[in-house]
Amino acid sequence: MLEELNKDNIVQEDKKFKRKELTDRIVKLIFLFIAIICASFVIFIVIFILEKGIEPFVKNYSLVEGEVVQQNIGLFFTNTRWLYDGNGGMGFLLLTTLYTTLLSLIISIPVSIFTALFIVRMAPKRAKPVIKTCVELLSSIPSVIYGIFGMGVICPIIQMAPVQTFAGNSILSASLVLALMSIPTITMVSINAIEAVDKSMINASIALGASNAQTNLKIVLFSAKSGIFAGIILGVGRALGEATAVQMVIGNNANGLGFYNPLNPGMTLTSAMLSGIGEASGIGYDVRFSLGIVLILVILMITSILNVVKNKMDVIKTKNSTSVIKKIGKFFSSDIAFIRTYFNDKFKKDSK
Amino acid sequence: MIEFENEQTNVEQKVDNSANTLLDKEEFKNPENIAFSCRNVDLYYDYGEKHSLKNINIDILKNKVTAFIGPSGCGKSTLLRCFDRMNDLIDGCKVTGDIKYMGQDINEINTIYLRTKVGMVFQQPNPFPMSIRNNICYGPRCQGIKNKDTLNKIVEQSLKDSALYDEVSDRLDASGLSLSGGQQQRLCIARTIAMSPDVILMDEPTSALDPIATLKIEELIKELKKKYTIIIVTHNMQQAARISDYTAFFMLGELVEFNETEEFFAHPRDKRSEDYITGRFG
């Protein structure tokens, strides 16, 4: 009698728990579905830009004089002028973009790392939150404000240089503005990385008779290097992709031979896409999408290369033997199998 | 137990155990034998709110192993950290009284010099995330030694002294983090020895290790005491009895008793020590 009661109990309890597990698994699948939709926007955007960006190479555009033109593929890579009549070349735009980014990083990386180090390790207790908040605020300022600041403050300062400049509009001013914009990003990520350094490691270094400076440079920065590098990757992304502020200060010189001199005006991929987009039509409008392809490819390439470098830098290596796709497959299959068997059992019982 | 608490509230006002802690023995009379001497040391955390060490009077002999035992939170690690002034790193920590190292007030010695002479091994093995060689070279390099031959000699010697040489001599360029826990702790000891200190402070060096690794470290300590003065904090009374020459027993921030280890465990003079040893609390 007692045994039977127990059995009944167990069967009932089992049902209850199975239902609980079922809701758990269904909720998990729904969340996964939403996350996948979110992530797949990347793919949608790339497909859209690709589709629009290939058009200028294949479609016929009529110009005012009645000519019919297409974007010339050879000149697209080699020409040193950016034109909207089918002969424009983007090679120098790409070089200018990389050059401007590099210049800005030369300024922003050391400044950000030392700011982060100061905030975490040296700042007096009361000053720390104040400085940190200032840096955080800096990252929330919109890019057009940086552009205006560059036009109003940085360009006039560059103009004071003892050589002829294009009213201060130059690659150097663009680099300075980009540096200002990427400093908060790199600093905030570096702060987190430096704060995560094991305290006992720092104590060990100090107990060994290392000075504070030696500890900071050799242990703290060394241990935090992969985190700091993650910040640099974000900064690179920001500098490569910034359009508005760059367009406002770089001078937009469509004749690209002078990009080697930072005091010359120049044109980056982003500023070429943005400048005069309101009045553009026909091939002059569509060819900007081709620039978009180049920009996306460059950014994807550079960040993935930097990510590989970062993973090699990681102090403690985690081994990932199974591939991501296999893992996602596993993630799905067990849940689907569970749900299927659950309903199969239920239908069988119902039909009986 | 209740009786004991009453006793505590009574002595809260004024602690004076110096009769039980300053030994009247030949070795202690010659000031050259003494590595550290503390007189009326008080320590406060949190800007004076927490009174963590109360009137400590103790002498530490050179080339002996001194063990600090006591229940958790009794201040034994705190006193250990006073000796190489690691408490300076903690905000709101204040030390009063005299602590002398080799007869000199430690506040007058340059901290960096003091820390090269007084090494420290921590509770958790914490090698730097670099190769074994660089882990050991780190300290000497910070003191400006750059010659490769000298550094190689230091690496070899300190690995041999810490009984790690045979296990790692063929992979000195492997990461220090790739070693097992016990090996990592011996690497930390090697790193400390590389500075050729006079004193090694050990803050529960075996509490994160398994019994076999613990045994190895204990053997190492017995070997090291020929060259160095060792002060070891431990939770484990058996460990103190096994390896130390002198034992100090701490309780709620005061030093209750200090004596030769054998005598301390055989004939504790204070009732609290006796209770602790016999396992009545703690």
Side-chain angles (χ1 to χ4, degrees):
Chain A
M1 185 70 186
L2 197 76
E3 272 179 14
E4 269 178 34
L5 241 173
N6 270 343
K7 256 187 189 171
D8 271 8
N9 259 344
I10 288 171
V11 170
Q12 281 210 333
E13 289 294 304
D14 187 53
K15 262 187 186 170
K16 220 167 142 192
F17 285 115
K18 263 207 169 149
R19 200 171 301 143
K20 268 189 177 177
E21 203 180 340
L22 181 80
T23 44
D24 254 12
R25 285 176 185 248
I26 288 178
V27 165
K28 189 174 149 193
L29 281 183
I30 291 172
F31 279 29
L32 187 80
F33 183 64
I34 294 170
I36 284 176
I37 288 180
C38 216
S40 57
F41 273 119
V42 175
I43 299 165
F44 291 144
I45 289 174
V46 170
I47 290 174
F48 170 74
I49 299 277
L50 269 179
E51 192 254 324
K52 289 284 273 183
I54 289 170
E55 236 170 51
F57 296 101
V58 288
K59 207 168 124 185
N60 288 324
Y61 294 88
S62 54
L63 287 182
V64 191
E65 297 91 24
E67 284 180 80
V68 174
V69 291
Q70 280 180 353
Q71 174 66 36
N72 185 320
I73 291 185
L75 287 178
F76 187 69
F77 289 101
T78 55
N79 200 354
T80 54
R81 284 171 70 82
W82 180 241
L83 304 162
Y84 296 113
D85 60 358
N87 297 323
M90 65 87 215
F92 81 94
L93 295 178
L94 179 58
L95 287 177
T96 317
T97 307
L98 296 177
Y99 185 59
T100 316
T101 306
L102 191 74
L103 275 185
S104 79
L105 286 177
I106 289 173
I107 304 160
S108 62
I109 290 176
V111 171
S112 317
I113 291 178
F114 289 127
T115 310
L117 202 57
F118 176 79
I119 289 175
V120 180
R121 299 273 308 138
M122 293 171 220
K125 225 179 177 183
R126 285 184 191 168
K128 193 173 160 175
V130 178
I131 307 175
K132 209 171 161 184
T133 317
C134 287
V135 176
E136 266 167 9
L137 283 178
L138 210 56
S139 66
S140 62
I141 292 176
S143 55
V144 83
I145 302 290
Y146 280 103
I148 282 282
F149 174 79
M151 285 171 84
V153 180
I154 294 176
C155 289
I157 292 174
I158 303 281
Q159 205 177 358
M160 287 179 210
V163 289
Q164 178 77 34
T165 58
F166 188 64
N169 287 335
S170 63
I171 291 174
L172 182 61
S173 356
S175 309
L176 287 172
V177 170
L178 283 180
L180 268 184
M181 295 181 73
S182 48
I183 281 172
T185 316
I186 305 180
T187 309
M188 292 315 293
V189 179
S190 302
I191 285 176
N192 287 338
I194 291 175
E195 271 176 350
V197 172
D198 194 353
K199 273 265 155 54
S200 79
M201 214 100 84
I202 296 170
N203 281 342
S205 164
I206 287 174
L208 276 174
S211 65
N212 259 325
Q214 283 166 334
T215 308
N216 285 342
L217 292 178
K218 290 187 180 177
I219 299 298
V220 177
L221 284 190
F222 185 83
S223 311
K225 63 182 173 179
S226 93
I228 292 173
F229 204 79
I232 292 175
I233 293 175
L234 287 181
V236 170
R238 181 125 206 230
L240 277 177
E242 179 51 43
T244 324
V246 172
Q247 198 257 138
M248 287 163 91
V249 295
I250 202 165
N252 297 314
N253 175 14
N255 187 350
L257 288 173
F259 69 84
Y260 56 87
N261 181 355
L263 286 177
N264 284 344
M267 200 181 213
T268 63
L269 286 171
T270 49
S271 73
M273 283 168 76
L274 193 61
S275 63
I277 197 169
E279 295 89 53
S281 62
I283 190 171
Y285 184 80
D286 284 358
V287 81
R288 293 163 204 264
F289 290 94
S290 316
L291 286 187
I293 298 180
V294 177
L295 188 65
I296 281 188
L297 285 182
V298 167
I299 289 182
L300 283 181
M301 234 163 66
I302 290 183
T303 44
S304 48
I305 290 172
L306 291 179
N307 267 318
V308 170
V309 175
K310 179 189 158 267
N311 288 342
K312 281 201 173 160
M313 237 187 217
D314 272 345
V315 176
I316 299 155
K317 277 175 186 137
T318 46
K319 275 181 189 167
N320 246 346
S321 51
T322 48
S323 72
V324 182
I325 296 170
K326 266 188 188 169
K327 267 186 186 170
I328 291 176
K330 257 188 182 175
F331 195 84
F332 264 127
S333 58
S334 72
D335 294 322
I336 290 173
F338 179 86
I339 292 165
R340 193 188 286 153
T341 47
Y342 181 87
F343 283 108
N344 273 351
D345 292 352
K346 211 173 183 194
F347 286 135
K348 268 179 201 166
K349 271 178 202 165
D350 288 351
S351 59
K352 271 174 194 172
Chain B
M1 198 62 203
I2 294 161
E3 225 173 274
F4 161 72
E5 272 173 6
N6 287 339
E7 223 176 277
Q8 272 305 304
T9 44
N10 288 339
V11 289
E12 187 73 34
Q13 305 304 322
K14 193 175 186 319
V15 184
D16 192 10
N17 277 318
S18 47
N20 274 347
T21 61
L22 293 176
L23 296 186
D24 188 26
K25 282 189 175 137
E26 267 318 300
E27 305 93 77
F28 288 88
K29 282 181 182 157
N30 184 358
E32 287 197 354
N33 278 342
I34 290 171
F36 281 105
S37 78
C38 301
R39 290 294 177 274
N40 309 323
V41 173
D42 284 73
L43 184 140
Y44 304 87
Y45 281 130
D46 297 338
Y47 302 94
E49 276 185 15
K50 201 176 150 203
H51 195 174
S52 292
L53 287 179
K54 295 164 191 165
N55 198 15
I56 306 288
N57 292 287
I58 191 172
D59 287 325
I60 310 279
L61 278 190
K62 271 186 197 169
N63 291 26
K64 298 278 180 207
V65 179
T66 307
F68 289 180
I69 62 170
S72 300
C74 66
K76 50 197 192 313
S77 295
T78 305
L79 181 62
L80 193 77
R81 283 203 305 273
C82 284
F83 291 146
D84 64 348
R85 288 180 62 186
M86 288 299 277
N87 282 327
D88 290 11
L89 303 179
I90 299 168
D91 283 338
C93 175
K94 197 180 112 196
V95 188
T96 61
D98 291 335
I99 305 177
K100 281 183 177 165
Y101 169 63
M102 305 284 183
Q104 247 190 321
D105 192 333
I106 58 164
N107 290 315
E108 284 162 15
I109 307 172
N110 182 304
T111 17
I112 290 176
Y113 175 74
L114 179 73
R115 286 175 190 152
T116 59
K117 287 289 152 199
V118 183
M120 191 161 191
V121 177
F122 295 83
Q123 186 171 4
Q124 290 288 336
N126 53 358
F128 300 130
M130 338 168 161
S131 68
I132 295 171
R133 188 197 304 279
N134 285 342
N135 256 293
I136 296 171
C137 290
Y138 179 78
R141 274 199 191 123
C142 281
Q143 300 311 315
I145 298 174
K146 280 182 186 141
N147 188 311
K148 272 194 178 170
D149 293 337
T150 325
L151 285 176
N152 282 341
K153 267 180 205 160
I154 291 175
V155 170
E156 196 183 322
Q157 193 54 45
S158 35
L159 280 176
K160 276 178 181 162
D161 284 355
S162 59
L164 195 60
Y165 189 74
D166 298 334
E167 289 160 60
V168 301
S169 60
D170 53 340
R171 49 180 179 134
L172 288 178
D173 291 314
S175 166
L177 296 170
S178 67
L179 300 174
S180 72
Q183 286 174 329
Q184 285 188 10
Q185 192 63 295
R186 274 180 284 152
L187 178 62
C188 292
I189 294 176
R191 182 173 76 182
T192 311
I193 294 172
M195 300 298 296
S196 52
D198 295 330
V199 184
I200 301 176
L201 308 175
M202 296 187 175
D203 192 351
E204 297 177 33
T206 60
S207 64
L209 304 179
D210 64 80
I212 293 167
T214 303
L215 196 69
K216 276 193 173 168
I217 301 261
E218 285 180 8
E219 276 166 11
L220 177 59
I221 290 170
K222 279 179 197 159
E223 206 51 42
L224 288 175
K225 77 173 180 186
K226 291 170 193 163
K227 278 191 191 170
Y228 309 95
T229 308
I230 293 173
I231 308 175
I232 179 169
V233 166
T234 174
H235 268 305
N236 186 335
M237 272 183 286
Q238 282 75 32
Q239 188 175 54
R242 279 197 298 268
I243 57 175
S244 69
D245 303 312
Y246 290 87
T247 301
F249 171 61
F250 290 77
M251 180 89 221
L252 296 168
E254 50 181 295
L255 176 54
V256 175
E257 190 173 341
F258 177 64
N259 210 339
E260 280 175 27
T261 300
E262 278 176 26
E263 216 171 304
F264 174 81
F265 283 103
H267 312 287
R269 279 181 282 181
D270 196 292
K271 188 166 180 302
R272 285 171 285 172
S273 330
E274 196 183 334
D275 287 350
Y276 187 68
I277 296 166
T278 49
R280 241 166 267 170
F281 71 92

